[in-house]
Amino acid sequence: MTQTPAGGAHGADHHPEVDWEAVERSPEFRELIKRKKAFVVPATIFFLAWYFGFIILAGYAPEFMGREFLTDGLTVGYVLALSQFLMTWGLAAWYLRKSDKTFDPLAARARESVEAMAAGQAGTARREGRFDRTGSGVASEEEGVTRR
């Protein structure tokens, strides 16, 4: 049995009055996406290179990975394996810091511009959209097409 979200079929944050295409074209939203991509893409590439580098070394350089490192029983392989956890936590902390300082303020500005657009549209007459069903029922007599 499937359950619907608390806000109904569309969820609690469903806003049909917002022109999402206009939001996507807004300079605030574009700046947010540009900045996020500039962080996420290089961070992802770096992490994947680190991870697959470890896997490749484990498969093709077992002598190197088996060398003892710093103390008896601690090998290069163990150190690199543990560094995967440190790398994950480090990237997560870096993302949180970047999010607090850069992404969240940009998201707030984008949200404010959307709210201003929605407030501006609320004061004007409702525009007929592509899927508007409040029309007369017939597109035109010449076309002979009926809306349902």
Side-chain angles (χ1 to χ4, degrees):
M1 181 169 145
T2 58
Q3 296 179 358
T4 58
H10 297 291
D13 292 333
H14 180 69
H15 299 285
E17 71 279 0
V18 175
D19 182 3
W20 293 107
E21 290 176 359
V23 171
E24 185 180 11
R25 289 188 303 266
S26 73
E28 296 86 2
F29 185 77
R30 287 183 179 258
E31 179 68 18
L32 172 65
I33 297 303
K34 182 178 106 179
R35 292 274 187 97
K36 271 192 161 183
K37 277 185 183 178
F39 176 82
V40 171
V41 170
T44 302
I45 290 169
F46 175 73
F47 179 78
L48 289 174
W50 188 266
Y51 176 74
F52 284 114
F54 170 72
I55 299 296
I56 290 167
L57 282 173
Y60 291 106
E63 304 84 28
F64 172 72
M65 296 295 271
R67 283 189 196 155
E68 292 197 1
F69 185 73
L70 295 178
T71 185
D72 291 340
L74 183 65
T75 64
V76 172
Y78 281 135
V79 171
L80 290 177
L82 292 173
S83 74
Q84 297 294 320
F85 293 103
L86 296 175
M87 184 62 58
T88 302
W89 283 101
L91 283 174
W94 188 19
Y95 179 82
L96 286 174
R97 184 178 174 123
K98 185 83 167 169
S99 179
D100 285 343
K101 290 184 176 189
T102 306
F103 304 148
D104 290 348
L106 286 171
R109 280 194 300 218
R111 183 177 52 250
E112 289 167 2
S113 73
V114 167
E115 289 169 352
M117 283 190 315
Q121 286 179 356
T124 62
R126 188 174 113 57
R127 62 186 178 120
E128 288 192 26
R130 180 172 155 192
F131 300 107
D132 185 28
R133 294 177 185 253
T134 60
S136 63
V138 176
S140 73
E141 290 185 19
E142 297 162 359
E143 296 173 8
V145 178
T146 304
R147 292 187 195 169
R148 295 183 186 197

